[in-house]
Amino acid sequence: MSTNPDRSGPGADGVPAAGSSVVDIAIGRLRNRIESGEFRPGHRLPPEAVLASELELSRPSLREAVRALAMAGVLDVRRGDGTFVTDLRPDRLLRALGSFLDLAQDTGLNEMLECRKVLEPGATALAATRVDEATLDRLQERIERMRGLQDPEELVHEDIAFHSDIVAASGNRTLASLADSVTQRTARARIWRALVKSDVLSWTHQQHMDIYTALRAHDSLAAFTAASRHVGDVELWVRDRLDAVRDRR
């Protein structure tokens, strides 16, 4: 075994070559164990000292990697009990990890989340004054469809269509174009969140109902408030987890 913890050269475990940060290397080695099936959903990881030795990592680097993967929803750190691989399906677990690491490198994501928070509530308030019955019926159908979805990606795609219909109901094509551009840049973050947040379905349904109720009442203030709460909560949840990892990479 090498006596050089956090070595960055290529090895049999397929870890990224020199130039990767020690945390990237640690994440890569843990990911390989998960992908190989050695660490399965529900599996308890070995004690920190043992795992660091097995992976040829320093304990601080391993600790940061575990922290990052816990924020990504891949690991579950249970105080006093140990660290476990989450019970997500293996394919979703690895998708969550890939999305999270990609998003952590996207320096423009914070700005896109802010843009969404500025654009969508205003567009929703405007739509409340202009929305017609046909659009309201379509929004209600989308909400009911979302209630029955279990796949996170399908849920987010339907969610995007829901908000797109609302912005279109504002009657402002320029605003709709701007909102669509922002939506495309934030879709991955929203899918990642849906993959790892266990109560996202009930949470999303209630907030969509609040928006729909305000639109049905043609209440601009209530529509603005409900939309602000909805997009603001998503932004805060994603930002908190990604910023904590970015600060350590």
Side-chain angles (χ1 to χ4, degrees):
M1 179 179 292
S2 168
T3 58
N4 180 18
D6 300 343
R7 60 182 174 83
S8 56
D13 56 2
V15 171
S20 298
S21 76
V22 292
V23 177
D24 289 330
I25 293 168
I27 289 172
R29 292 179 187 176
L30 279 170
R31 177 176 184 166
N32 287 341
R33 295 290 183 98
I34 294 168
E35 287 179 321
S36 71
E38 182 177 351
F39 293 163
R40 299 178 181 276
H43 181 97
R44 180 177 178 173
L45 299 188
E48 182 182 274
V50 174
L51 187 57
S53 177
E54 288 180 358
L55 298 178
E56 300 183 66
L57 297 167
S58 68
R59 292 177 69 173
S61 296
L62 175 61
R63 201 172 298 130
E64 291 299 333
V66 168
R67 177 182 174 86
L69 297 183
M71 289 181 175
V74 175
L75 297 179
D76 178 18
V77 180
R78 304 175 192 172
R79 189 176 299 277
D81 195 19
T83 300
F84 296 78
V85 179
T86 57
D87 290 327
L88 295 171
R89 282 178 12 206
D91 59 330
R92 289 185 177 177
L93 182 150
L94 293 174
R95 248 191 302 165
L97 173 56
S99 297
F100 180 79
L101 297 179
D102 289 344
L103 290 167
Q105 300 298 324
D106 186 354
T107 56
L109 179 60
N110 282 349
E111 290 187 0
M112 289 297 104
L113 290 169
E114 286 182 348
C115 286
R116 186 182 179 216
K117 189 168 64 174
V118 169
L119 289 172
E120 278 197 23
T124 304
L126 184 58
T129 68
R130 300 175 177 178
V131 66
D132 57 29
E133 287 298 314
T135 299
L136 287 168
D137 290 343
R138 187 163 61 251
L139 291 174
Q140 186 174 27
E141 290 171 4
R142 289 198 185 280
I143 290 173
E144 290 306 311
R145 215 162 27 243
M146 279 186 274
R147 288 188 71 176
L149 293 177
Q150 298 299 320
D151 184 85
E153 291 190 49
E154 291 182 10
L155 174 63
V156 172
H157 289 316
E158 193 67 32
D159 172 75
I160 287 172
F162 174 81
H163 291 289
S164 179
D165 284 348
I166 292 173
V167 176
S170 74
N172 188 313
R173 288 178 296 178
T174 301
L175 186 56
S177 178
L178 289 170
D180 180 66
S181 177
V182 170
T183 293
Q184 298 309 312
R185 287 289 305 277
T186 61
R188 283 191 311 145
R190 291 153 72 179
I191 290 171
W192 165 67
R193 179 179 176 278
L195 279 166
V196 301
K197 184 167 169 53
S198 60
D199 63 342
V200 71
L201 187 61
S202 59
W203 178 92
T204 300
H205 176 72
Q206 184 56 56
Q207 294 205 341
H208 283 167
M209 282 301 301
D210 291 343
I211 293 170
Y212 169 77
T213 299
L215 291 171
R216 175 67 74 178
H218 300 285
D219 186 333
S220 291
L221 180 58
F224 182 90
T225 301
S228 294
R229 183 184 306 113
H230 179 59
V231 300
D233 283 354
V234 173
E235 179 200 21
L236 182 61
W237 193 93
V238 172
R239 187 194 294 272
D240 282 351
R241 283 151 184 80
L242 292 181
D243 285 353
V245 172
R246 287 169 179 155
D247 289 344
R248 291 166 171 78
R249 290 170 73 83

